[in-house]
Amino acid sequence: MNGLLRCVLVGLGARGRYWAQVMHAEPRCAIVAYVDPSAEALARADADFGERPGFASLDEALEAGLDVDGLVLATPPSGREAQLRHACERALPVLVEKPLALDLHEAARFVRMAEAAGVPLMVGLNFRYLAVTIERMRLYRDGVVGRPAFTRFTYERWRDGYRPGINRYPLTMEHPMLWEQSIHHFDLLRYVYGVEPLTVACHAWNPSWSMYAHETNVAALFSFDGGLVANYQGTWQSGWATPGFEWRTDATEGVVTQFDQFGDLRYARRDEPALRTVDLPPHEIWVTETAGLLRAFLASALDGEPLECSGRDHLSSLAMVEACIRSSRDARVVDVGDVLAEALQAAG
Ligand SMILES: NC(=O)c1ccc[n+]([C@@H]2O[C@H](COP(=O)([O-])OP(=O)(O)OC[C@H]3O[C@@H](n4cnc5c(N)ncnc54)[C@H](O)[C@@H]3O)[C@@H](O)[C@H]2O)c1
């Protein structure tokens, strides 16, 4: 590979276009082909990010005799099996957008398939690579506020599902908020605190004015190993178009709180009357952190570094989603570990 990963970029929609931008800017990555069934999307990528051979399907791209070392999949989360099979048959490391699948059992099968083929499968959890996430973890690691004990995570957004340029499939899919959005938040909870979920009590619903066919609101109370408790509330159909975000952690000696999903991190020790602001480097939203994710993928594929955001790790966050769905459906507390174990067993 000579220090260069030659990738096919599959899917050129809202997210795929960020991938095109980030991959073009990364010297250790080359896009050798674009794949999208939309001729318009292919033409736009040629115009905006440089001409490349374009194909309507991954099969066609892989049959074209190009030198390919890896795949980046920015397609909708349903219907990825054939693409992942191609990656496994050709031993191509693959970076796939979250969620890996819209079904935990299916995702577990994909992970088993990739592991059996020895293919690195990385999931696009870009929020891990934000400076605000890294600094938050540093505050805990350095013991600045003591040990995290409980947290309140609120994400309030008016997401106009018909806005030009935004993906359309969430309008009709089941549990769009949980699978498409909360999955990032659940991953952050596990990642930042370094803990695994035990139980959840969840209620998911759709407000009366929702433009989505299925639930856009999630209220969930998680317990984690080590005793951490997380109180989560998310919506895509807020009553107000101005977004609201707060992720506050109360710790044994103080508090850490974040007022923007991309930044604005503050903390105080228990007796300090005002929050202190944490300095963060400049950040281009959706680009800087996606570049960090890509570099981690390249470090694994080219340098043999341990794989970050592995498919297997992602299953634990998907199990939180599935446990929320069951908890809400049955109005009961659900054991997240049981949900994960069931999927792993079914995957063989
Ligand atoms: N990590 C993030 O922050 C983030 C942000 C937005 C979206 N996403 C994820 O990215 C993925 C794509 O979302 P999007 O918003 O770009 O959707 P989108 O609908 O805007 O774009 C999807 C593109 O994939 C193409 N496509 C569909 N089936 C294909 C196939 N079989 N082969 C090749 N191309 C195909 C479509 O023509 C379309 O151009 C989803 O999994 C979504 O959850 C992640």
Side-chain angles (χ1 to χ4, degrees):
M1 291 184 211
N2 292 328
L4 181 72
L5 198 76
R6 295 162 299 187
C7 295
V8 177
L9 173 58
V10 188
L12 297 165
R15 184 65 182 152
R17 289 176 56 76
Y18 280 112
W19 274 114
Q21 180 182 345
V22 164
M23 291 166 77
H24 273 291
E26 168 53 55
R28 299 216 302 159
C29 180
I31 301 179
V32 293
Y34 301 125
V35 175
D36 200 297
S38 159
E40 192 193 327
L42 290 171
R44 218 150 53 100
D46 276 342
D48 294 347
F49 307 111
E51 288 190 20
R52 294 289 183 280
F55 302 91
S57 72
L58 179 58
D59 305 37
E60 290 171 49
L62 293 176
E63 292 303 319
L66 302 164
D67 289 324
V68 178
D69 310 311
L71 301 181
V72 175
L73 299 183
T75 52
S78 51
R80 287 191 175 136
E81 176 146 12
Q83 297 162 345
L84 292 170
R85 242 173 236 296
H86 281 307
C88 291
E89 282 160 14
R90 292 166 193 257
L92 299 174
V94 54
L95 202 175
V96 56
E97 265 305 338
K98 48 50 68 175
L100 176 56
L102 297 178
D103 177 274
L104 176 61
H105 286 231
E106 184 177 57
R109 271 200 300 110
F110 292 167
V111 168
R112 288 270 202 245
M113 184 169 83
E115 287 177 352
V119 164
L121 173 62
M122 185 178 186
V123 181
L125 295 159
N126 44 311
F127 285 84
R128 289 191 183 194
Y129 299 88
L130 285 169
V132 68
T133 306
I134 295 162
E135 283 304 305
R136 178 187 269 277
M137 291 173 77
R138 191 186 58 74
L139 287 175
Y140 301 144
R141 203 179 45 245
D142 293 353
V144 176
V145 292
R147 193 164 34 81
F150 55 92
T151 182
R152 174 168 52 80
F153 194 122
T154 54
Y155 176 92
E156 289 136 351
R157 172 179 178 193
W158 164 252
R159 185 183 192 272
D160 179 356
Y162 294 105
R163 202 181 73 210
I166 208 168
N167 53 25
R168 290 283 179 269
Y169 62 88
L171 285 165
T172 49
M173 69 185 276
E174 292 196 2
H175 294 290
M177 177 71 197
L178 276 165
W179 290 112
E180 284 286 314
Q181 192 73 65
S182 307
I183 185 67
H184 275 305
H185 305 151
F186 295 175
D187 179 70
L188 283 174
L189 292 173
R190 291 181 48 245
Y191 178 64
V192 160
Y193 302 119
V195 292
E196 291 300 335
L198 298 175
T199 63
V200 66
C202 173
H203 184 62
W205 75 102
N206 223 3
S208 61
W209 59 85
S210 180
M211 65 177 70
Y212 292 81
H214 297 280
E215 287 90 343
T216 58
N217 280 34
V218 177
L221 189 66
F222 286 101
S223 69
F224 288 86
D225 60 17
L228 187 109
V229 173
N231 194 341
Y232 175 81
Q233 178 163 321
T235 180
W236 265 4
Q237 292 286 272
S238 166
W240 191 26
T242 298
F245 182 94
E246 189 179 356
W247 179 10
R248 169 175 161 144
T249 308
D250 289 64
T252 48
E253 294 162 34
V255 68
V256 174
T257 188
Q258 182 181 337
F259 295 98
D260 183 286
Q261 62 172 331
F262 293 102
D264 200 350
L265 184 67
R266 306 184 210 178
Y267 72 93
R269 293 180 54 81
R270 178 167 288 108
D271 294 329
E272 290 174 335
L275 293 164
R276 302 167 191 245
T277 299
V278 177
D279 282 338
L280 297 172
H283 177 260
E284 189 181 351
I285 288 172
W286 304 121
V287 173
T288 310
E289 86 281 3
T290 302
L293 178 65
L294 177 62
R295 283 194 295 274
F297 180 58
L298 297 174
S300 163
L302 295 173
D303 310 330
E305 295 292 329
L307 183 67
E308 298 179 8
C309 307
S310 71
R312 176 160 288 270
D313 179 81
H314 184 55
L315 293 179
S316 297
S317 304
L318 290 175
M320 293 169 77
V321 168
E322 176 62 28
C324 280
I325 292 170
R326 293 186 192 186
S327 171
S328 183
R329 183 193 64 199
D330 303 339
R332 67 180 170 94
V333 174
V334 171
D335 185 311
V336 184
D338 286 352
V339 171
L340 179 61
E342 177 196 302
L344 288 174
Q345 196 177 19

